[in-house]
Amino acid sequence: MSKNLTTRSEDYSKWYNELVVKADLAENSGVRGCMVIKPSGYAIWEKMQAELDRMFKETGHSNAYFPLFVPKSMFEAEEKNAEGFAKECAIVTHYRLKNDPDKPGKLMVDPNAKLEEELIVRPTSEAIIWSTYKGWVQSYRDLPLLINQWANVVRWEMRTRLFLRTAEFLWQEGHTAHATKDEAIEESEKMMHVYADFVENFMAIPVIKGLKTETERFAGAEETYCIEALMQDGKALQAGTSHFLGQNFAKAFDVKFANAEGKQEYVWGTSWGVSTRLMGALVMTHSDDKGLVLPPNLAPIQVVIVPIFKTDEELEIISKVVNELVSAFKKIKIAVKFDNRTTQKPGFKFAEWELKGVPVRIAVGPKDLENGTFEVARRDTLSKEIISKDSVVSYINDLLDQIQKDLFDKALDYRENHITEVDSFEEFKEVLENKGGFVAAHWDGTAETEEKIKELTKATIRCIPLNRVEVSGKCMYTGAESTGRVLFAKAY
Amino acid sequence: MSKNLTTRSEDYSKWYNELVVKADLAENSGVRGCMVIKPSGYAIWEKMQAELDRMFKETGHSNAYFPLFVPKSMFEAEEKNAEGFAKECAIVTHYRLKNDPDKPGKLMVDPNAKLEEELIVRPTSEAIIWSTYKGWVQSYRDLPLLINQWANVVRWEMRTRLFLRTAEFLWQEGHTAHATKDEAIEESEKMMHVYADFVENFMAIPVIKGLKTETERFAGAEETYCIEALMQDGKALQAGTSHFLGQNFAKAFDVKFANAEGKQEYVWGTSWGVSTRLMGALVMTHSDDKGLVLPPNLAPIQVVIVPIFKTDEELEIISKVVNELVSAFKKIKIAVKFDNRTTQKPGFKFAEWELKGVPVRIAVGPKDLENGTFEVARRDTLSKEIISKDSVVSYINDLLDQIQKDLFDKALDYRENHITEVDSFEEFKEVLENKGGFVAAHWDGTAETEEKIKELTKATIRCIPLNRVEVSGKCMYTGAESTGRVLFAKAY
């Protein structure tokens, strides 16, 4: 099973593609650029959703649902946003098929069923939501609006990759409206922190919080906050973004409110989102050449129990002990599976659960029964220990916390070892080529230089870190003045 | 507030439309036929989702996600299904907009970005899912596949109504694959029972389980099981359907498996779904002229506490008592809200929470503090009682159960009083006109008669009840032989 998996050192990209499919997370569909998220993958996404949803509600947000389609005139109302998405959107032009007179049994688009106005399949929902908010906001008492939506969106990408870049993907998009600029900025920062908290503490992926440059900013935003993660191949991955929209959408859709003095003002907005792309980050941050490595928080199965037996009688005796153990785990909400298949050998099962990333494996055979012990193996380190029956439940309860922590620490360690300060463009290229990771360098602040560096190296400015030290220096490319380092990297 | 609500006797249809909007459940959007589900409405839908999802998982199903788009050639593969949905589907033909050279700032569909093959926005997902299942099933060991999807679907309806009939709606669709016909039939029946259990015990809406006639069957199914509910205006509403698909989709998409003897066979299928339409059923079953009436199981707020006070000091004293009460409710997972707004009078608040359907209202003023009591009002019966402070939590805990039960009983009572047996077509028309509800009548079993009756009366056969007594009789319309009564009704 895992024998067939390409290793990371052989071909990281191939390893990823193979792993996603072999671990049954997702596969390409018969529809160009669209994926099927399989039950094993979707179960992980559901865990992410549940935790994020809890965090959104805890911070005062409610869920709602807005239409899939955006009429063209609505889509183009906020010009920058429209321009940013116009080149990659799916467009509905007709609403009926009819029998094809030339091909019996085949259908054709009915030319008499052309829409008066084309509908864009939402690539993001600012337009449709702000056109709705216009009806919801009259006075400052109606603000803030703190709304989130779980939805599918479509961006017509030409080169797609499972989870990382697909024509259709699943995401959540928060859209909030505020009476003041400060409050809107506070909201966009707050949600960046919520994302960072989630990705670090729930997914065990360390991130750097920062601001996007104008070039990399969301189309229609005044400011884009982001969290950037680092994959094992030294490439960065944008894990979430939160946008301060200023009054751009309020102006485009004429959303005004009467302030406490009765004066009409435009509303201030934010939007923020994370997507199934996080599934890609999860796979690429923790997994290894044997397969997935899942942090316990996200593992649909946290503990798998594999019986070692030769006869039905042995299995029966083992099952009695295991069933008690299963009950004990369930009582403390540990997700456990007893793999009592008689059609597969233990070695096959070990490899299968390793491929699928189950954090802890317990093996139990006749000898363990005699000794009152279990063999406990960690998926992340592949280490094994013999644990006595009496303490195994509390041992594993602690072990799951430990694994969660260790995965984060390991990823953090890698990330910290892959932030390199450079002061010349030669050095910059050298680090990008031979080491990868984030490269902290001075930049003159112009879009031209940013573009030129991207052209020459494929590296982009991932972010201006929020915690950067203001220190004057010279742009590594042009030598012009800079007030602090920004983080470059090649990115997904 | 509720003063403005049209009453049910004045105009039931208008009452419904107004109520959905005034209670903040949903509204029409700027996109033809598509609705916005507002936070108050979505919170109810989330409760439905959570419970259904739990029931699906308990019966062995997993969630997955399949593409939004279906290429035309895939869509038309199962002919009956394609024919059934061809006339009402949104079709994507292009994938890019460009600047309109004649209209500065406006966009137009880029004629150079025409898709080679048109994509249908899924009206239902059998085609895309069975084309995927082909890759998942080789042997009987791969069966059954028990999969559910939560998704949006689009059916281009010409006359739409909030929740009841919208161009885009949210639903879940189960799609299962089995090795035998019996197992597939068992699954479709099981899911009908799951739906009935959910709608009756969670939504407090009684339903009749039955089979659809061939005319009313899902396009592409061999048999459609349904649950039918009755609204307060005497019209029926199909609340959920479960289809036995035979081998129709397996044959259309060539999904075969090797049985235990190694012989190739076509797979047997089912599909089943319920949608945001249930929100409409919920509103129309329980609500009254003052607004929504929500069963406690579905109420995002189950208990609202309104303080009666004249001064800030009074509010402060009341708040102390109320905060203790709130903690006590939260401890036993009762969703409670303390409406301590100082901007609105109690009477306004009472009307608002009545409109929004909160099952129980507690009012507390200085006199109650003196007496150690609370005034407890039921939303469904509008009755009030004075309850001592010491017993109020357990009283309300029981009361919520009682309300849930009473709502079901009341609806059941109405339904039972609106099933009328008739033996002549004159009587049939008379009952439909003056009383409404289900009319149990003999029918000759032909689609022609069914069609003729529909033409003359607008009534359709809602179902052939599963529990009907086989008894010979004469079709009320043609006088031909019949083996039992079927249920007719006008329907949503």
Side-chain angles (χ1 to χ4, degrees):
Chain A
M1 187 159 276
S2 62
K3 256 181 261 164
N4 303 321
L5 193 63
T6 298
T7 64
R8 288 163 295 173
S9 58
E10 275 168 18
D11 186 337
Y12 189 82
S13 176
K14 204 170 161 207
W15 164 81
Y16 172 79
N17 293 340
E18 280 182 17
L19 178 50
V20 168
V21 172
K22 280 180 194 279
D24 271 341
L25 299 182
E27 64 183 36
N28 286 307
S29 73
V31 189
R32 209 197 129 282
C34 294
M35 66 179 157
V36 172
I37 307 179
K38 299 181 78 173
S40 297
Y42 202 84
I44 299 172
W45 176 242
E46 280 182 304
K47 286 191 165 253
M48 292 189 199
Q49 282 189 302
E51 177 67 6
L52 282 168
D53 200 69
R54 192 191 63 70
M55 294 173 90
F56 298 155
K57 283 174 178 158
E58 207 173 78
T59 45
H61 303 86
S62 303
N63 289 328
Y65 188 77
F66 298 86
L68 170 68
F69 299 129
V70 190
K72 189 176 73 66
S73 58
M74 200 187 275
F75 181 84
E76 68 198 2
E78 208 296 319
E79 279 191 45
K80 280 193 184 162
N81 187 251
E83 196 187 308
F85 289 100
K87 293 202 182 72
E88 49 178 34
C89 55
I91 306 160
V92 175
T93 57
H94 292 74
Y95 59 86
R96 193 164 63 218
L97 292 167
K98 64 170 202 168
N99 291 320
D100 188 333
D102 300 331
K103 298 177 192 156
K106 302 288 176 188
L107 297 167
M108 60 178 281
V109 174
D110 185 342
N112 294 323
K114 194 169 185 306
L115 291 171
E116 276 180 44
E117 181 176 12
E118 297 88 353
L119 299 174
I120 316 306
V121 181
R122 63 181 164 216
T124 181
S125 300
E126 279 77 7
I128 183 79
I129 288 179
W130 280 87
S131 79
T132 306
Y133 281 180
K134 181 174 169 53
W136 293 5
V137 179
Q138 275 86 43
S139 127
Y140 70 96
R141 285 187 214 88
D142 302 322
L143 296 171
L145 290 174
L146 302 173
I147 290 186
N148 177 60
Q149 163 171 278
W150 290 97
N152 53 343
V153 285
V154 171
R155 297 176 186 178
W156 208 258
E157 303 278 358
M158 281 302 161
R159 277 178 306 168
T160 61
R161 263 185 102 185
L162 292 170
F163 292 124
L164 297 172
R165 199 171 290 277
T166 47
E168 181 192 13
F169 58 87
L170 303 184
W171 79 346
Q172 61 67 218
E173 46 183 326
H175 295 271
T176 70
H178 306 265
T180 68
K181 180 178 178 177
D182 283 354
E183 196 185 297
I185 290 176
E186 195 186 310
E187 166 79 7
S188 35
E189 288 181 353
K190 180 198 284 174
M191 297 322 290
M192 171 196 60
H193 292 305
V194 165
Y195 287 153
D197 179 5
F198 169 76
V199 174
E200 296 204 324
N201 298 318
F202 205 72
M203 300 184 67
I205 302 175
V207 294
I208 291 169
K209 300 172 190 175
L211 276 169
K212 287 288 180 193
T213 62
E214 198 179 338
T215 309
E216 299 281 331
R217 201 176 281 160
F218 178 73
E222 295 284 302
E223 201 73 91
T224 289
Y225 297 86
C226 64
I227 53 171
E228 296 283 325
L230 193 63
M231 304 298 102
Q232 291 178 65
D233 61 345
K235 281 169 85 173
L237 185 144
Q238 176 180 297
T241 49
S242 180
H243 317 294
F244 166 59
L245 303 174
Q247 297 174 313
N248 294 343
F249 286 89
K251 285 178 180 164
F253 292 97
D254 193 34
V255 186
K256 288 183 192 164
F257 70 101
N259 67 18
E261 290 79 43
K263 222 188 104 202
Q264 293 287 310
E265 288 186 45
Y266 284 111
V267 169
W268 298 85
T270 85
S271 65
W272 28 275
V274 297
S275 74
T276 36
R277 189 159 216 246
L278 284 177
M279 292 286 298
L282 178 73
V283 172
M284 290 204 299
T285 301
H286 303 302
S287 301
D288 64 22
D289 296 343
K290 287 185 177 288
L292 285 186
V293 174
L294 294 177
N297 282 348
L298 283 170
I301 302 171
Q302 297 172 305
V303 177
V304 66
I305 306 174
V306 178
I308 317 287
F309 61 96
K310 290 212 179 73
T311 65
D312 286 355
E313 288 71 41
E314 276 180 7
L315 177 58
E316 202 177 313
I317 298 166
I318 291 171
S319 296
K320 270 188 201 155
V321 177
V322 170
N323 288 337
E324 275 176 40
L325 190 58
V326 166
S327 300
F329 280 131
K330 285 191 178 164
K331 211 174 274 176
I332 56 171
K333 311 244 172 193
I334 289 178
V336 59
K337 186 185 174 73
F338 178 27
D339 182 0
N340 59 359
R341 285 176 292 176
T342 54
T343 48
Q344 307 292 359
K345 297 241 164 77
F348 178 94
K349 293 179 181 178
F350 286 12
E352 180 173 344
W353 297 117
E354 275 170 11
L355 175 64
K356 295 206 163 182
V358 176
V360 173
R361 180 187 72 220
I362 297 176
V364 50
K367 233 178 222 162
D368 296 296
L369 291 192
E370 265 173 45
N371 300 336
T373 58
F374 295 105
E375 184 194 88
V376 175
R378 283 174 69 147
R379 173 62 188 90
D380 60 334
T381 58
L382 299 170
S383 61
K384 293 178 203 170
E385 289 216 59
I386 304 296
I387 305 296
S388 85
K389 199 181 141 182
D390 299 337
S391 59
V392 73
V393 173
S394 74
Y395 176 83
I396 284 178
N397 198 23
D398 294 345
L399 182 60
L400 290 170
D401 289 343
Q402 191 62 47
I403 293 172
Q404 181 78 27
K405 184 178 175 307
D406 289 354
L407 285 176
F408 178 80
D409 288 345
K410 189 180 167 195
L412 181 64
D413 200 49
Y414 175 85
R415 204 273 310 275
E416 292 301 291
N417 283 320
H418 286 80
I419 302 181
T420 312
E421 286 198 0
V422 304
D423 288 310
S424 75
F425 193 55
E426 283 314 303
E427 219 184 328
F428 179 79
K429 287 187 287 187
E430 200 272 325
V431 171
L432 273 183
E433 183 123 338
N434 298 320
K435 186 180 176 192
F438 291 113
V439 191
H442 283 285
W443 158 66
D444 64 15
T446 69
E448 295 70 39
T449 303
E450 194 179 358
E451 182 57 32
K452 193 73 198 165
I453 292 171
K454 183 178 175 184
E455 210 180 292
L456 294 168
T457 66
K458 290 187 181 154
T460 49
I461 300 177
R462 300 318 302 155
C463 71
I464 304 158
L466 288 192
N467 66 355
R468 80 161 175 180
V469 184
E470 296 287 314
V471 54
S472 65
K474 305 275 180 202
C475 173
M476 65 162 169
Y477 188 73
T478 62
E481 289 300 319
S482 148
T483 55
R485 292 173 191 274
V486 298
L487 292 182
F488 287 86
K490 292 186 191 174
Y492 281 97
Chain B
M1 185 159 275
S2 63
K3 257 181 262 166
N4 302 322
L5 193 60
T6 297
T7 64
R8 288 164 294 172
S9 58
E10 275 168 18
D11 186 337
Y12 190 82
S13 175
K14 203 170 163 208
W15 164 81
Y16 172 79
N17 294 340
E18 279 182 17
L19 179 51
V20 168
V21 171
K22 280 181 195 280
D24 270 342
L25 300 182
E27 64 183 37
N28 286 306
S29 75
V31 190
R32 210 202 127 282
C34 294
M35 66 180 159
V36 171
I37 306 179
K38 299 182 78 171
S40 298
Y42 203 84
I44 299 172
W45 176 240
E46 280 182 307
K47 287 194 163 247
M48 291 189 200
Q49 282 190 301
E51 177 67 6
L52 281 168
D53 200 69
R54 193 192 63 70
M55 293 174 91
F56 298 155
K57 284 175 177 154
E58 206 173 77
T59 45
H61 304 86
S62 303
N63 288 329
Y65 189 77
F66 298 85
L68 171 68
F69 299 129
V70 190
K72 189 175 72 68
S73 57
M74 199 186 275
F75 181 82
E76 68 198 1
E78 209 295 318
E79 279 191 44
K80 280 192 185 163
N81 188 250
E83 196 189 307
F85 289 101
K87 295 202 181 72
E88 49 177 37
C89 55
I91 307 160
V92 176
T93 56
H94 292 75
Y95 59 85
R96 192 165 62 219
L97 291 166
K98 63 170 203 167
N99 291 321
D100 189 332
D102 299 331
K103 298 176 191 156
K106 302 288 176 186
L107 298 166
M108 60 178 281
V109 174
D110 185 343
N112 294 322
K114 194 171 186 303
L115 291 172
E116 277 180 42
E117 181 177 11
E118 297 88 353
L119 298 174
I120 316 305
V121 180
R122 62 182 165 214
T124 181
S125 299
E126 279 77 7
I128 183 78
I129 289 180
W130 280 88
S131 80
T132 307
Y133 281 180
K134 181 174 170 55
W136 293 4
V137 178
Q138 276 85 43
S139 126
Y140 69 95
R141 285 187 214 89
D142 301 322
L143 296 170
L145 291 173
L146 301 174
I147 291 183
N148 176 60
Q149 164 170 278
W150 289 98
N152 53 344
V153 286
V154 172
R155 297 178 185 176
W156 207 260
E157 302 278 359
M158 281 302 160
R159 278 178 305 168
T160 60
R161 262 184 104 184
L162 292 169
F163 291 124
L164 297 174
R165 197 170 291 277
T166 48
E168 182 193 15
F169 58 88
L170 303 183
W171 79 344
Q172 61 66 220
E173 45 182 328
H175 295 270
T176 70
H178 306 266
T180 67
K181 179 177 177 176
D182 283 354
E183 197 184 296
I185 290 176
E186 196 186 310
E187 167 79 7
S188 34
E189 288 180 353
K190 182 198 283 175
M191 298 321 291
M192 170 196 61
H193 292 305
V194 165
Y195 286 154
D197 180 6
F198 169 75
V199 173
E200 296 204 325
N201 298 316
F202 205 72
M203 299 185 67
I205 302 176
V207 294
I208 291 169
K209 300 172 188 174
L211 277 169
K212 288 287 181 193
T213 60
E214 200 180 335
T215 309
E216 299 282 330
R217 203 176 278 161
F218 178 73
E222 296 282 302
E223 201 74 270
T224 288
Y225 296 87
C226 64
I227 54 171
E228 295 284 325
L230 193 63
M231 305 297 101
Q232 291 178 68
D233 62 345
K235 281 169 86 174
L237 185 143
Q238 175 180 298
T241 49
S242 180
H243 316 295
F244 166 60
L245 303 174
Q247 296 175 313
N248 295 343
F249 286 90
K251 285 178 179 164
F253 292 96
D254 193 34
V255 186
K256 288 182 193 167
F257 71 102
N259 67 17
E261 289 79 41
K263 222 187 103 199
Q264 292 287 308
E265 288 186 46
Y266 283 112
V267 169
W268 298 86
T270 85
S271 66
W272 28 274
V274 297
S275 74
T276 36
R277 191 159 214 247
L278 285 177
M279 293 286 296
L282 180 72
V283 173
M284 289 205 296
T285 301
H286 302 303
S287 301
D288 63 23
D289 296 343
K290 286 184 177 290
L292 284 186
V293 174
L294 294 176
N297 281 349
L298 283 170
I301 302 170
Q302 296 172 306
V303 177
V304 66
I305 305 173
V306 177
I308 317 288
F309 61 96
K310 291 213 180 72
T311 65
D312 285 357
E313 290 69 41
E314 275 180 7
L315 177 58
E316 202 176 312
I317 298 166
I318 291 171
S319 296
K320 269 187 200 156
V321 177
V322 170
N323 288 336
E324 275 176 40
L325 189 58
V326 166
S327 301
F329 280 132
K330 285 191 177 161
K331 212 174 271 176
I332 56 170
K333 311 243 172 193
I334 288 177
V336 60
K337 182 180 177 77
F338 178 27
D339 182 0
N340 58 359
R341 285 177 292 175
T342 53
T343 47
Q344 307 292 358
K345 296 239 162 77
F348 178 93
K349 293 179 182 179
F350 285 10
E352 181 173 344
W353 297 117
E354 274 171 8
L355 176 64
K356 295 206 163 182
V358 176
V360 173
R361 180 188 73 218
I362 297 177
V364 49
K367 230 177 226 165
D368 296 296
L369 290 191
E370 266 173 45
N371 301 336
T373 57
F374 295 106
E375 183 193 88
V376 176
R378 283 173 70 149
R379 172 64 186 89
D380 59 334
T381 58
L382 300 169
S383 60
K384 295 178 201 170
E385 289 214 58
I386 303 298
I387 306 295
S388 86
K389 200 181 142 186
D390 299 337
S391 59
V392 73
V393 174
S394 74
Y395 176 83
I396 284 178
N397 198 25
D398 294 344
L399 182 61
L400 290 171
D401 290 342
Q402 190 63 46
I403 293 172
Q404 181 78 27
K405 186 180 172 304
D406 288 352
L407 285 176
F408 178 79
D409 289 345
K410 188 181 168 194
L412 181 63
D413 199 48
Y414 175 83
R415 205 271 312 275
E416 292 300 293
N417 284 319
H418 286 80
I419 304 181
T420 312
E421 285 199 3
V422 304
D423 288 309
S424 75
F425 193 55
E426 282 314 302
E427 219 184 328
F428 179 79
K429 287 187 288 187
E430 200 272 324
V431 171
L432 274 183
E433 184 124 336
N434 298 320
K435 186 179 176 191
F438 290 113
V439 190
H442 282 285
W443 159 65
D444 64 15
T446 70
E448 293 72 40
T449 302
E450 195 179 356
E451 182 56 33
K452 193 71 199 170
I453 292 171
K454 184 178 174 183
E455 212 181 290
L456 294 170
T457 65
K458 290 185 181 157
T460 49
I461 299 178
R462 301 319 303 155
C463 71
I464 304 159
L466 288 192
N467 66 357
R468 82 161 173 178
V469 184
E470 296 286 314
V471 54
S472 66
K474 305 277 180 199
C475 172
M476 65 160 170
Y477 188 72
T478 63
E481 289 299 319
S482 148
T483 56
R485 291 172 191 274
V486 298
L487 292 182
F488 287 85
K490 291 186 191 174
Y492 281 96

